[in-house]
Amino acid sequence: MKPRRHKDSTNLDLFIDFPATKTHLADLLGVARSTLCAWENIAFWRIESFRNAYPKTHDGSLDRESPLSPYQAWVLSRVGRLMAQLRRSERVKGYILKNQQDFNRYRYQQAFQQVNRINKGA
């Protein structure tokens, strides 16, 4: 894995308000697109709500080439933080499997609302 362009880029959760391409998201997180794709693969196979956030194609399969939703971007920022802390994908995969609640939509919505309350108070 290449070194991050911005070593602190995943220290905080990422909240965006628009769908983002993997290239754009990689740039926001300060990593190579290939690194973001590796994180996306980890999340796709272990987090059902992340997987279900992809739109479906006309044949019913998931469109993994579509831009990522704000929820998916948030999940990937959390996966990136775990990768920085735990250093190995096997450890990250194990953490995700044991702590599914840290990556669900409800947790995302709670965090997003909290950020909005802080922003309104500022």
Side-chain angles (χ1 to χ4, degrees), residues 13 39 42-44 46-53 70-83 85-86 91-111:
D13 288 346
W39 297 351
I42 290 170
F44 182 84
R46 284 158 192 83
I47 305 168
E48 185 177 356
S49 55
F50 180 89
R51 188 171 43 253
N52 291 337
Y71 162 70
Q72 289 171 311
W74 174 80
V75 168
L76 292 178
S77 71
R78 296 188 127 211
V79 171
R81 184 174 326 120
L82 285 172
M83 287 297 293
Q85 293 170 344
L86 302 176
R91 292 178 189 149
V92 172
K93 292 172 187 176
Y95 179 90
I96 292 171
L97 290 174
K98 290 178 185 171
N99 299 283
Q100 290 283 311
Q101 72 281 359
D102 289 352
F103 301 92
N104 64 27
R105 279 188 175 275
Y106 178 72
R107 183 66 56 96
Y108 164 72
Q109 289 166 343
Q110 280 183 316

Side-chain angles (χ1 to χ4, degrees), residues 4-117:
R4 296 175 186 213
R5 290 187 293 261
H6 310 286
K7 71 179 180 85
D8 299 327
S9 61
T10 56
N11 286 356
L12 301 172
D13 288 346
L14 176 67
F15 294 99
I16 57 174
D17 57 357
F18 55 89
T21 64
K22 290 176 187 167
T23 301
H24 181 70
L25 194 53
D27 193 45
L28 288 175
L29 294 172
V31 297
R33 187 179 189 283
S34 59
T35 299
L36 185 83
C37 289
W39 297 351
E40 185 263 344
N41 223 15
I42 290 170
F44 182 84
W45 294 109
R46 284 158 192 83
I47 305 168
E48 185 177 356
S49 55
F50 180 89
R51 188 171 43 253
N52 291 337
Y54 281 99
K56 292 201 167 47
T57 62
H58 65 283
D59 67 359
S61 63
L62 299 176
D63 182 8
R64 288 184 73 180
E65 298 300 317
S66 67
L68 298 168
S69 71
Y71 162 70
Q72 289 171 311
W74 174 80
V75 168
L76 292 178
S77 71
R78 296 188 127 211
V79 171
R81 184 174 326 120
L82 285 172
M83 287 297 293
Q85 293 170 344
L86 302 176
R87 299 279 185 214
R88 296 189 186 255
S89 63
E90 293 307 314
R91 292 178 189 149
V92 172
K93 292 172 187 176
Y95 179 90
I96 292 171
L97 290 174
K98 290 178 185 171
N99 299 283
Q100 290 283 311
Q101 72 281 359
D102 289 352
F103 301 92
N104 64 27
R105 279 188 175 275
Y106 178 72
R107 183 66 56 96
Y108 164 72
Q109 289 166 343
Q110 280 183 316
F112 187 70
Q113 288 172 356
Q114 189 174 12
V115 167
N116 281 338
R117 271 189 238 121

